[in-house]
Amino acid sequence: AARSGNTSLVEAFLREGGTAEARVEAVNIAIHMYAMNCDVESAERHFFVMEEEGLVASVVTFNRLINASAVVGDCRRAKFWLDVMMRRGLQPNCVTIGTMCKALSSQGMVSEVRSLLDWVEHSDFAELNEYFFASL
């Protein structure tokens, strides 16, 4: 469903229920699909519905929201989601950092990329991996 962009299949699954983990994963898939269709508002709507239902967003959820923002070139929105993620006590991973760098660099925001990488270097962040370097 995610590769074909068929959101109706995911929407149907979300309505049917299932375990909390399965529902969070379904929301993650929906966010990804909407991101690929450049529909950030629908991606965010799924996040807020998930929150209203008491489901807990994961690092993957936030990475996908950051990516949805990056796809449309909205760096401020991507930074917003990174901030929300960190305020909730979730640690960014290599995917998060790579996606943020992709968003910032696509808009020519080189100093912001450098600042982010300085933060990574001076924090207890895990070592950057091949995903990060491939995203540059």
Side-chain angles (χ1 to χ4, degrees), residues 107-119:
Q107 300 300 307
M109 302 173 82
V110 177
S111 63
E112 287 84 350
V113 171
R114 285 187 180 137
S115 294
L116 182 60
L117 293 178
D118 284 344
W119 173 80

Side-chain angles (χ1 to χ4, degrees), residues 49-66:
V49 167
M50 179 181 81
E51 296 266 293
E52 288 172 9
E53 293 180 8
L55 298 172
V56 179
S58 66
V59 170
V60 172
T61 307
F62 286 104
N63 285 347
R64 291 195 173 176
L65 288 165
I66 292 167

Side-chain angles (χ1 to χ4, degrees), residues 121-135:
E121 184 178 338
H122 295 97
S123 69
D124 59 351
F125 190 82
E127 197 169 309
L128 297 175
N129 65 12
E130 61 279 353
Y131 177 86
F132 168 79
F133 292 104
S135 70

Side-chain angles (χ1 to χ4, degrees), residues 53-110:
E53 293 180 8
L55 298 172
V56 179
S58 66
V59 170
V60 172
T61 307
F62 286 104
N63 285 347
R64 291 195 173 176
L65 288 165
I66 292 167
N67 187 58
S69 303
V71 166
V72 298
D74 192 339
C75 293
R76 187 170 53 199
R77 192 178 234 156
K79 288 180 192 177
F80 167 80
W81 287 115
L82 176 61
D83 290 343
V84 171
M85 175 185 183
M86 293 180 70
R87 280 194 312 267
R88 292 186 179 195
L90 296 173
Q91 179 69 32
N93 61 21
C94 290
V95 174
T96 314
I97 301 304
T99 304
M100 281 301 304
C101 286
K102 176 180 76 172
L104 295 167
S105 63
S106 73
Q107 300 300 307
M109 302 173 82
V110 177

